[in-house]
Amino acid sequence: MTFISADKISLTLDNGKTLLSDVSFKLDKQQTLGIVGPNGAGKSSLIHCLLGLNSKASGKVNIQGKLLTSFKEKSRAQLISAVMQEMPNDIYLTVEEVIESGRTPYRHWLWGHDNDAQKWIDYAIDKMKLHSLRNQMFHTLSGGEKKRTLIARALAQNTQILVLDEPVNHLDIQHQIELMYLLQSLPITLIISLHDIQLAARFCDTLLVMNQGKVIQQGPAKDILTQSLFKQVFKVKATTYTNQHDCLSIHTEPLTSY
């Protein structure tokens, strides 16, 4: 049964530039959607629209048949968590305090109490391996450490849907792979924009390939990542094959000989 659906999401700026044009997709519960495409394809714009963050967007986003716009702010925050690409630098809190802020939607409106807060904070710190950093100030962290802290904050929020815009940016190879395995293990619905096509093909159930604000193709990686698609969208020659680990691998070359 469809859990999330987007219907003809479009976004045009005041200057007439179109960022998104009739983007539609459906996603089942506890499935992972990978949004891929070249720079300027509209991936981040779509992420913002799926979160209801752009009032200029048209189209509909439904969750379990209910319009996203019909959810009250607190209910939406208990349903969807997000980690955006932008990296804040002016947060003067400890790592644990930043993660704790993910529990805001569950605090009592008057008393501010949340019985489950510490359980989910500890869970997130453990998942993201932040034990040694929990008392360090956020603004002193490296880019990768900040990204892991923000992802931990989203995990502490304990939502059914997690949306991530380029989550592996700033992470070294170890933490990229660990994060993707962790996300794959979570019993939630994931929407992830990624630059790395091979990571997307390996860890996402279905891909949404975008270019110039439009959906070019969508479906399982093994079905849609064709030579013609790579040439059309990514401007490279590409051959896909299944490696010895039963994973889809991609060999790419430039279109022009050197």
Side-chain angles (χ1 to χ4, degrees), residues 123-182:
Y123 165 83
I125 287 173
D126 182 61
K127 284 290 185 181
M128 297 310 300
K129 299 182 178 179
L130 292 167
H131 302 90
S132 64
L133 298 174
R134 69 188 304 158
N135 296 315
Q136 188 165 330
M137 298 300 291
F138 180 85
H139 71 279
T140 68
L141 302 177
S142 68
E145 290 167 343
K146 288 179 179 177
K147 179 60 68 74
R148 288 162 54 205
T149 299
L150 294 175
I151 293 171
R153 179 186 183 276
L155 294 181
Q157 200 170 326
N158 184 28
T159 57
Q160 296 184 54
I161 303 165
L162 175 56
V163 179
L164 303 109
D165 191 7
E166 299 292 350
V168 298
N169 279 8
H170 305 290
L171 299 184
D172 55 33
I173 293 176
Q174 174 196 349
H175 289 113
Q176 284 186 18
I177 296 300
E178 287 181 351
L179 174 61
M180 295 307 295
Y181 268 99
L182 167 63

Short mmCIF file of all heavy atoms in Angstrom, two decimals, residues 123-182:
data_model
loop_
_atom_site.label_atom_id
_atom_site.label_comp_id
_atom_site.label_asym_id
_atom_site.label_seq_id
_atom_site.Cartn_x
_atom_site.Cartn_y
_atom_site.Cartn_z
N TYR A 123 19.89 6.25 22.42
CA TYR A 123 19.77 5.41 21.21
C TYR A 123 20.48 6.08 20.02
O TYR A 123 21.26 5.44 19.31
CB TYR A 123 18.29 5.19 20.90
CG TYR A 123 18.00 4.67 19.50
CD1 TYR A 123 18.09 3.32 19.22
CD2 TYR A 123 17.63 5.55 18.48
CE1 TYR A 123 17.81 2.85 17.94
CE2 TYR A 123 17.35 5.08 17.21
CZ TYR A 123 17.44 3.73 16.93
OH TYR A 123 17.17 3.26 15.67
N ALA A 124 20.21 7.37 19.83
CA ALA A 124 20.80 8.08 18.70
C ALA A 124 22.31 8.22 18.83
O ALA A 124 23.06 8.06 17.86
CB ALA A 124 20.15 9.46 18.57
N ILE A 125 22.78 8.51 20.03
CA ILE A 125 24.22 8.62 20.28
C ILE A 125 24.91 7.30 20.01
O ILE A 125 25.99 7.24 19.41
CB ILE A 125 24.49 9.10 21.72
CG1 ILE A 125 24.13 10.60 21.84
CG2 ILE A 125 25.95 8.88 22.13
CD1 ILE A 125 24.20 11.13 23.26
N ASP A 126 24.28 6.22 20.43
CA ASP A 126 24.84 4.89 20.20
C ASP A 126 24.87 4.56 18.72
O ASP A 126 25.89 4.07 18.20
CB ASP A 126 24.02 3.86 20.97
CG ASP A 126 24.59 2.45 20.82
OD1 ASP A 126 25.73 2.24 21.25
OD2 ASP A 126 23.89 1.57 20.29
N LYS A 127 23.78 4.82 18.01
CA LYS A 127 23.70 4.50 16.58
C LYS A 127 24.75 5.25 15.77
O LYS A 127 25.36 4.71 14.84
CB LYS A 127 22.31 4.82 16.05
CG LYS A 127 21.23 3.83 16.43
CD LYS A 127 21.42 2.49 15.72
CE LYS A 127 20.28 1.54 15.99
NZ LYS A 127 20.48 0.23 15.32
N MET A 128 24.97 6.52 16.10
CA MET A 128 25.90 7.35 15.34
C MET A 128 27.31 7.37 15.95
O MET A 128 28.17 8.13 15.51
CB MET A 128 25.37 8.78 15.23
CG MET A 128 24.06 8.90 14.47
SD MET A 128 24.06 8.07 12.86
CE MET A 128 25.38 8.92 12.02
N LYS A 129 27.52 6.55 16.99
CA LYS A 129 28.85 6.40 17.61
C LYS A 129 29.42 7.75 18.03
O LYS A 129 30.54 8.13 17.67
CB LYS A 129 29.79 5.68 16.65
CG LYS A 129 29.33 4.26 16.30
CD LYS A 129 30.31 3.54 15.39
CE LYS A 129 29.83 2.11 15.10
NZ LYS A 129 30.74 1.39 14.20
N LEU A 130 28.64 8.47 18.83
CA LEU A 130 29.02 9.81 19.28
C LEU A 130 29.32 9.86 20.77
O LEU A 130 29.36 10.95 21.36
CB LEU A 130 27.89 10.80 18.95
CG LEU A 130 27.65 11.08 17.46
CD1 LEU A 130 26.34 11.82 17.25
CD2 LEU A 130 28.82 11.87 16.87
N HIS A 131 29.57 8.71 21.39
CA HIS A 131 29.80 8.67 22.84
C HIS A 131 30.92 9.62 23.28
O HIS A 131 30.78 10.36 24.25
CB HIS A 131 30.14 7.24 23.28
CG HIS A 131 29.08 6.25 22.94
ND1 HIS A 131 29.07 5.57 21.74
CD2 HIS A 131 27.99 5.80 23.64
CE1 HIS A 131 28.03 4.75 21.71
NE2 HIS A 131 27.36 4.88 22.83
N SER A 132 32.01 9.62 22.53
CA SER A 132 33.17 10.42 22.95
C SER A 132 32.97 11.91 22.70
O SER A 132 33.74 12.74 23.19
CB SER A 132 34.43 9.95 22.20
OG SER A 132 34.29 10.18 20.81
N LEU A 133 31.92 12.27 21.96
CA LEU A 133 31.68 13.67 21.61
C LEU A 133 30.46 14.26 22.30
O LEU A 133 30.17 15.45 22.11
CB LEU A 133 31.50 13.81 20.08
CG LEU A 133 32.67 13.40 19.20
CD1 LEU A 133 32.26 13.46 17.74
CD2 LEU A 133 33.87 14.29 19.45
N ARG A 134 29.76 13.48 23.11
CA ARG A 134 28.45 13.92 23.59
C ARG A 134 28.51 15.22 24.40
O ARG A 134 27.55 15.99 24.41
CB ARG A 134 27.76 12.81 24.38
CG ARG A 134 28.36 12.46 25.71
CD ARG A 134 27.68 11.21 26.30
NE ARG A 134 26.24 11.35 26.43
CZ ARG A 134 25.39 10.31 26.49
NH1 ARG A 134 25.84 9.07 26.41
NH2 ARG A 134 24.10 10.53 26.65
N ASN A 135 29.64 15.51 25.04
CA ASN A 135 29.78 16.74 25.85
C ASN A 135 30.56 17.83 25.15
O ASN A 135 30.81 18.90 25.72
CB ASN A 135 30.43 16.41 27.19
CG ASN A 135 29.57 15.49 28.04
OD1 ASN A 135 28.36 15.68 28.14
ND2 ASN A 135 30.18 14.46 28.61
N GLN A 136 30.96 17.59 23.89
CA GLN A 136 31.73 18.59 23.14
C GLN A 136 30.78 19.61 22.52
O GLN A 136 29.65 19.29 22.14
CB GLN A 136 32.56 17.91 22.05
CG GLN A 136 33.53 18.85 21.35
CD GLN A 136 34.57 18.10 20.54
OE1 GLN A 136 34.95 16.98 20.90
NE2 GLN A 136 35.04 18.70 19.45
N MET A 137 31.24 20.86 22.39
CA MET A 137 30.42 21.90 21.80
C MET A 137 30.27 21.68 20.29
O MET A 137 31.26 21.39 19.60
CB MET A 137 31.04 23.28 22.06
CG MET A 137 31.13 23.63 23.55
SD MET A 137 29.51 23.66 24.38
CE MET A 137 28.77 25.11 23.63
N PHE A 138 29.06 21.81 19.81
CA PHE A 138 28.76 21.52 18.41
C PHE A 138 29.61 22.36 17.46
O PHE A 138 30.11 21.86 16.45
CB PHE A 138 27.26 21.76 18.15
CG PHE A 138 26.84 21.49 16.73
CD1 PHE A 138 26.51 20.21 16.32
CD2 PHE A 138 26.76 22.53 15.80
CE1 PHE A 138 26.11 19.97 15.02
CE2 PHE A 138 26.37 22.29 14.49
CZ PHE A 138 26.04 21.00 14.10
N HIS A 139 29.78 23.65 17.76
CA HIS A 139 30.48 24.54 16.82
C HIS A 139 31.96 24.21 16.69
O HIS A 139 32.62 24.70 15.77
CB HIS A 139 30.29 26.01 17.21
CG HIS A 139 31.03 26.41 18.46
ND1 HIS A 139 30.56 26.15 19.73
CD2 HIS A 139 32.22 27.05 18.62
CE1 HIS A 139 31.41 26.62 20.62
NE2 HIS A 139 32.42 27.17 19.99
N THR A 140 32.51 23.37 17.57
CA THR A 140 33.92 22.99 17.49
C THR A 140 34.14 21.71 16.69
O THR A 140 35.29 21.30 16.48
CB THR A 140 34.51 22.79 18.90
OG1 THR A 140 33.91 21.63 19.51
CG2 THR A 140 34.28 24.01 19.76
N LEU A 141 33.07 21.07 16.25
CA LEU A 141 33.18 19.79 15.56
C LEU A 141 33.64 19.96 14.11
O LEU A 141 33.50 21.03 13.51
CB LEU A 141 31.83 19.07 15.55
CG LEU A 141 31.17 18.77 16.91
CD1 LEU A 141 29.81 18.13 16.68
CD2 LEU A 141 32.06 17.87 17.75
N SER A 142 34.16 18.89 13.54
CA SER A 142 34.47 18.86 12.11
C SER A 142 33.16 18.77 11.33
O SER A 142 32.09 18.50 11.90
CB SER A 142 35.35 17.66 11.78
OG SER A 142 34.62 16.44 11.94
N GLY A 143 33.24 18.96 10.01
CA GLY A 143 32.04 18.88 9.18
C GLY A 143 31.36 17.53 9.27
O GLY A 143 30.13 17.44 9.37
N GLY A 144 32.16 16.46 9.26
CA GLY A 144 31.60 15.12 9.35
C GLY A 144 30.96 14.85 10.70
O GLY A 144 29.90 14.20 10.79
N GLU A 145 31.58 15.34 11.77
CA GLU A 145 31.02 15.15 13.12
C GLU A 145 29.70 15.93 13.28
O GLU A 145 28.76 15.45 13.92
CB GLU A 145 32.05 15.60 14.16
CG GLU A 145 33.25 14.67 14.25
CD GLU A 145 34.40 15.27 15.04
OE1 GLU A 145 34.42 16.51 15.25
OE2 GLU A 145 35.30 14.51 15.45
N LYS A 146 29.65 17.12 12.69
CA LYS A 146 28.40 17.88 12.73
C LYS A 146 27.29 17.14 11.99
O LYS A 146 26.14 17.07 12.47
CB LYS A 146 28.60 19.26 12.10
CG LYS A 146 29.43 20.22 12.94
CD LYS A 146 29.61 21.55 12.23
CE LYS A 146 30.42 22.52 13.09
NZ LYS A 146 30.66 23.80 12.38
N LYS A 147 27.61 16.59 10.83
CA LYS A 147 26.60 15.86 10.06
C LYS A 147 26.09 14.65 10.85
O LYS A 147 24.88 14.40 10.90
CB LYS A 147 27.20 15.42 8.71
CG LYS A 147 26.24 14.63 7.82
CD LYS A 147 24.99 15.39 7.45
CE LYS A 147 25.25 16.56 6.55
NZ LYS A 147 25.55 16.23 5.17
N ARG A 148 26.98 13.92 11.46
CA ARG A 148 26.56 12.76 12.26
C ARG A 148 25.69 13.18 13.44
O ARG A 148 24.73 12.49 13.81
CB ARG A 148 27.79 11.98 12.74
CG ARG A 148 28.50 11.20 11.63
CD ARG A 148 29.91 10.81 12.01
NE ARG A 148 29.96 10.08 13.27
CZ ARG A 148 31.03 10.05 14.06
NH1 ARG A 148 32.11 10.73 13.73
NH2 ARG A 148 31.01 9.34 15.17
N THR A 149 26.00 14.34 14.05
CA THR A 149 25.20 14.85 15.17
C THR A 149 23.80 15.22 14.71
O THR A 149 22.81 14.91 15.38
CB THR A 149 25.88 16.07 15.81
OG1 THR A 149 27.17 15.70 16.30
CG2 THR A 149 25.05 16.64 16.95
N LEU A 150 23.69 15.85 13.55
CA LEU A 150 22.38 16.25 13.04
C LEU A 150 21.55 15.03 12.65
O LEU A 150 20.32 15.03 12.81
CB LEU A 150 22.55 17.19 11.85
CG LEU A 150 23.18 18.55 12.19
CD1 LEU A 150 23.42 19.36 10.92
CD2 LEU A 150 22.31 19.33 13.17
N ILE A 151 22.20 14.00 12.15
CA ILE A 151 21.49 12.76 11.84
C ILE A 151 21.02 12.09 13.13
O ILE A 151 19.89 11.58 13.22
CB ILE A 151 22.37 11.81 11.01
CG1 ILE A 151 22.62 12.41 9.62
CG2 ILE A 151 21.70 10.43 10.86
CD1 ILE A 151 23.65 11.68 8.80
N ALA A 152 21.87 12.14 14.16
CA ALA A 152 21.47 11.60 15.47
C ALA A 152 20.27 12.36 16.01
O ALA A 152 19.35 11.77 16.61
CB ALA A 152 22.64 11.68 16.45
N ARG A 153 20.25 13.67 15.83
CA ARG A 153 19.10 14.48 16.26
C ARG A 153 17.83 13.99 15.58
O ARG A 153 16.77 13.88 16.21
CB ARG A 153 19.35 15.95 15.93
CG ARG A 153 18.22 16.88 16.31
CD ARG A 153 18.49 18.29 15.80
NE ARG A 153 17.44 19.21 16.22
CZ ARG A 153 16.28 19.38 15.57
NH1 ARG A 153 16.05 18.67 14.47
NH2 ARG A 153 15.39 20.24 16.02
N ALA A 154 17.92 13.70 14.27
CA ALA A 154 16.75 13.20 13.54
C ALA A 154 16.33 11.83 14.03
O ALA A 154 15.12 11.53 14.12
CB ALA A 154 17.07 13.16 12.05
N LEU A 155 17.30 10.98 14.38
CA LEU A 155 16.96 9.65 14.90
C LEU A 155 16.27 9.76 16.26
O LEU A 155 15.33 9.01 16.56
CB LEU A 155 18.22 8.79 15.02
CG LEU A 155 18.92 8.41 13.72
CD1 LEU A 155 20.14 7.54 14.01
CD2 LEU A 155 17.96 7.67 12.78
N ALA A 156 16.73 10.69 17.09
CA ALA A 156 16.12 10.89 18.41
C ALA A 156 14.68 11.38 18.28
O ALA A 156 13.87 11.20 19.20
CB ALA A 156 16.93 11.89 19.23
N GLN A 157 14.34 11.95 17.14
CA GLN A 157 12.98 12.46 16.91
C GLN A 157 11.97 11.32 16.75
O GLN A 157 10.77 11.55 16.86
CB GLN A 157 12.99 13.37 15.68
CG GLN A 157 11.82 14.34 15.60
CD GLN A 157 12.04 15.37 14.50
OE1 GLN A 157 13.17 15.79 14.22
NE2 GLN A 157 10.96 15.78 13.86
N ASN A 158 12.49 10.12 16.43
CA ASN A 158 11.65 8.91 16.41
C ASN A 158 10.42 9.07 15.52
O ASN A 158 9.27 8.99 15.96
CB ASN A 158 11.21 8.54 17.83
CG ASN A 158 10.42 7.23 17.87
OD1 ASN A 158 10.59 6.36 17.03
ND2 ASN A 158 9.52 7.11 18.83
N THR A 159 10.67 9.28 14.22
CA THR A 159 9.58 9.48 13.26
C THR A 159 9.43 8.26 12.35
O THR A 159 10.31 7.41 12.27
CB THR A 159 9.86 10.71 12.39
OG1 THR A 159 11.13 10.56 11.74
CG2 THR A 159 9.87 11.98 13.24
N GLN A 160 8.32 8.22 11.63
CA GLN A 160 8.08 7.15 10.66
C GLN A 160 8.77 7.41 9.34
O GLN A 160 8.99 6.50 8.55
CB GLN A 160 6.58 6.98 10.41
CG GLN A 160 5.77 6.53 11.60
CD GLN A 160 4.33 6.30 11.24
OE1 GLN A 160 4.00 5.56 10.31
NE2 GLN A 160 3.43 6.96 11.95
N ILE A 161 9.09 8.68 9.08
CA ILE A 161 9.70 9.07 7.81
C ILE A 161 10.94 9.91 8.11
O ILE A 161 10.90 10.83 8.93
CB ILE A 161 8.72 9.92 6.96
CG1 ILE A 161 7.43 9.15 6.71
CG2 ILE A 161 9.38 10.33 5.64
CD1 ILE A 161 6.29 10.04 6.21
N LEU A 162 12.04 9.59 7.43
CA LEU A 162 13.28 10.36 7.57
C LEU A 162 13.70 10.82 6.18
O LEU A 162 13.84 10.01 5.26
CB LEU A 162 14.38 9.50 8.20
CG LEU A 162 15.78 10.12 8.32
CD1 LEU A 162 15.74 11.44 9.06
CD2 LEU A 162 16.73 9.14 9.01
N VAL A 163 13.87 12.13 6.04
CA VAL A 163 14.27 12.74 4.77
C VAL A 163 15.67 13.31 4.93
O VAL A 163 15.93 14.07 5.87
CB VAL A 163 13.28 13.85 4.37
CG1 VAL A 163 13.70 14.49 3.05
CG2 VAL A 163 11.86 13.30 4.27
N LEU A 164 16.57 12.95 4.01
CA LEU A 164 17.96 13.40 4.11
C LEU A 164 18.42 13.96 2.77
O LEU A 164 18.28 13.31 1.73
CB LEU A 164 18.88 12.24 4.52
CG LEU A 164 18.53 11.53 5.83
CD1 LEU A 164 17.98 10.14 5.52
CD2 LEU A 164 19.74 11.41 6.73
N ASP A 165 18.98 15.15 2.81
CA ASP A 165 19.50 15.80 1.60
C ASP A 165 21.02 15.70 1.61
O ASP A 165 21.70 16.36 2.40
CB ASP A 165 19.05 17.27 1.59
CG ASP A 165 19.33 17.95 0.25
OD1 ASP A 165 19.74 17.26 -0.70
OD2 ASP A 165 19.12 19.18 0.16
N GLU A 166 21.56 14.85 0.75
CA GLU A 166 23.00 14.60 0.64
C GLU A 166 23.62 14.26 2.00
O GLU A 166 24.54 14.95 2.47
CB GLU A 166 23.70 15.83 0.04
CG GLU A 166 23.24 16.21 -1.34
CD GLU A 166 23.62 15.20 -2.42
OE1 GLU A 166 24.43 14.29 -2.12
OE2 GLU A 166 23.11 15.30 -3.54
N PRO A 167 23.18 13.18 2.64
CA PRO A 167 23.66 12.88 4.00
C PRO A 167 25.11 12.45 4.09
O PRO A 167 25.70 12.54 5.16
CB PRO A 167 22.73 11.73 4.44
CG PRO A 167 22.32 11.07 3.16
CD PRO A 167 22.19 12.20 2.18
N VAL A 168 25.70 11.97 2.99
CA VAL A 168 27.08 11.49 3.07
C VAL A 168 28.10 12.58 2.78
O VAL A 168 29.30 12.34 2.88
CB VAL A 168 27.32 10.28 2.14
CG1 VAL A 168 26.44 9.11 2.55
CG2 VAL A 168 27.09 10.64 0.68
N ASN A 169 27.63 13.78 2.41
CA ASN A 169 28.57 14.90 2.25
C ASN A 169 29.30 15.15 3.56
O ASN A 169 28.71 15.07 4.63
CB ASN A 169 27.82 16.17 1.85
CG ASN A 169 27.51 16.21 0.37
OD1 ASN A 169 27.72 15.25 -0.35
ND2 ASN A 169 26.98 17.33 -0.09
N HIS A 170 30.58 15.45 3.48
CA HIS A 170 31.45 15.74 4.64
C HIS A 170 31.87 14.47 5.39
O HIS A 170 32.62 14.57 6.37
CB HIS A 170 30.79 16.71 5.63
CG HIS A 170 30.35 18.01 5.03
ND1 HIS A 170 31.25 18.96 4.60
CD2 HIS A 170 29.12 18.50 4.77
CE1 HIS A 170 30.58 19.99 4.11
NE2 HIS A 170 29.30 19.73 4.20
N LEU A 171 31.39 13.31 4.99
CA LEU A 171 31.76 12.08 5.69
C LEU A 171 32.86 11.34 4.94
O LEU A 171 32.87 11.30 3.70
CB LEU A 171 30.54 11.15 5.83
CG LEU A 171 29.33 11.68 6.62
CD1 LEU A 171 28.27 10.59 6.73
CD2 LEU A 171 29.75 12.16 8.00
N ASP A 172 33.80 10.75 5.69
CA ASP A 172 34.82 9.92 5.05
C ASP A 172 34.20 8.59 4.67
O ASP A 172 33.04 8.29 4.99
CB ASP A 172 36.03 9.73 5.96
CG ASP A 172 35.67 9.16 7.33
OD1 ASP A 172 34.72 8.36 7.41
OD2 ASP A 172 36.34 9.50 8.32
N ILE A 173 34.96 7.76 3.97
CA ILE A 173 34.41 6.51 3.42
C ILE A 173 33.85 5.62 4.51
O ILE A 173 32.76 5.04 4.37
CB ILE A 173 35.49 5.76 2.60
CG1 ILE A 173 35.84 6.55 1.34
CG2 ILE A 173 34.99 4.37 2.23
CD1 ILE A 173 36.96 5.94 0.53
N GLN A 174 34.57 5.52 5.62
CA GLN A 174 34.11 4.67 6.73
C GLN A 174 32.71 5.08 7.18
O GLN A 174 31.80 4.25 7.29
CB GLN A 174 35.07 4.76 7.91
CG GLN A 174 34.57 4.02 9.16
CD GLN A 174 35.30 4.39 10.43
OE1 GLN A 174 36.34 5.07 10.38
NE2 GLN A 174 34.78 3.99 11.57
N HIS A 175 32.54 6.38 7.42
CA HIS A 175 31.26 6.84 7.96
C HIS A 175 30.17 6.89 6.89
O HIS A 175 28.98 6.76 7.21
CB HIS A 175 31.44 8.21 8.63
CG HIS A 175 32.22 8.13 9.91
ND1 HIS A 175 33.48 8.68 10.05
CD2 HIS A 175 31.93 7.53 11.09
CE1 HIS A 175 33.91 8.45 11.28
NE2 HIS A 175 33.00 7.75 11.93
N GLN A 176 30.55 7.05 5.63
CA GLN A 176 29.57 6.95 4.55
C GLN A 176 28.93 5.57 4.53
O GLN A 176 27.70 5.43 4.53
CB GLN A 176 30.23 7.22 3.19
CG GLN A 176 30.54 8.67 2.90
CD GLN A 176 31.06 8.87 1.49
OE1 GLN A 176 30.88 8.01 0.62
NE2 GLN A 176 31.70 9.99 1.25
N ILE A 177 29.79 4.55 4.51
CA ILE A 177 29.29 3.16 4.44
C ILE A 177 28.54 2.80 5.70
O ILE A 177 27.45 2.18 5.65
CB ILE A 177 30.45 2.19 4.18
CG1 ILE A 177 31.08 2.47 2.81
CG2 ILE A 177 29.96 0.74 4.25
CD1 ILE A 177 30.13 2.32 1.64
N GLU A 178 29.07 3.18 6.86
CA GLU A 178 28.39 2.87 8.12
C GLU A 178 27.02 3.53 8.15
O GLU A 178 26.02 2.92 8.59
CB GLU A 178 29.23 3.34 9.30
CG GLU A 178 30.45 2.46 9.56
CD GLU A 178 31.27 2.93 10.76
OE1 GLU A 178 31.00 4.04 11.29
OE2 GLU A 178 32.18 2.19 11.16
N LEU A 179 26.93 4.79 7.69
CA LEU A 179 25.65 5.49 7.70
C LEU A 179 24.65 4.81 6.77
O LEU A 179 23.48 4.61 7.15
CB LEU A 179 25.84 6.94 7.28
CG LEU A 179 24.53 7.74 7.11
CD1 LEU A 179 23.76 7.79 8.43
CD2 LEU A 179 24.81 9.14 6.59
N MET A 180 25.07 4.43 5.58
CA MET A 180 24.13 3.82 4.64
C MET A 180 23.65 2.46 5.14
O MET A 180 22.47 2.13 4.99
CB MET A 180 24.77 3.69 3.25
CG MET A 180 25.09 5.02 2.58
SD MET A 180 23.70 6.18 2.48
CE MET A 180 22.58 5.30 1.39
N TYR A 181 24.53 1.70 5.77
CA TYR A 181 24.10 0.43 6.37
C TYR A 181 23.12 0.70 7.52
O TYR A 181 22.12 -0.03 7.67
CB TYR A 181 25.30 -0.36 6.88
CG TYR A 181 25.86 -1.34 5.88
CD1 TYR A 181 26.99 -1.04 5.12
CD2 TYR A 181 25.26 -2.59 5.69
CE1 TYR A 181 27.49 -1.94 4.19
CE2 TYR A 181 25.76 -3.49 4.77
CZ TYR A 181 26.88 -3.17 4.02
OH TYR A 181 27.37 -4.06 3.10
N LEU A 182 23.40 1.72 8.32
CA LEU A 182 22.51 2.06 9.42
C LEU A 182 21.13 2.45 8.90
O LEU A 182 20.10 1.96 9.38
CB LEU A 182 23.09 3.21 10.24
CG LEU A 182 22.14 3.88 11.24
CD1 LEU A 182 21.70 2.88 12.30
CD2 LEU A 182 22.78 5.10 11.87
#
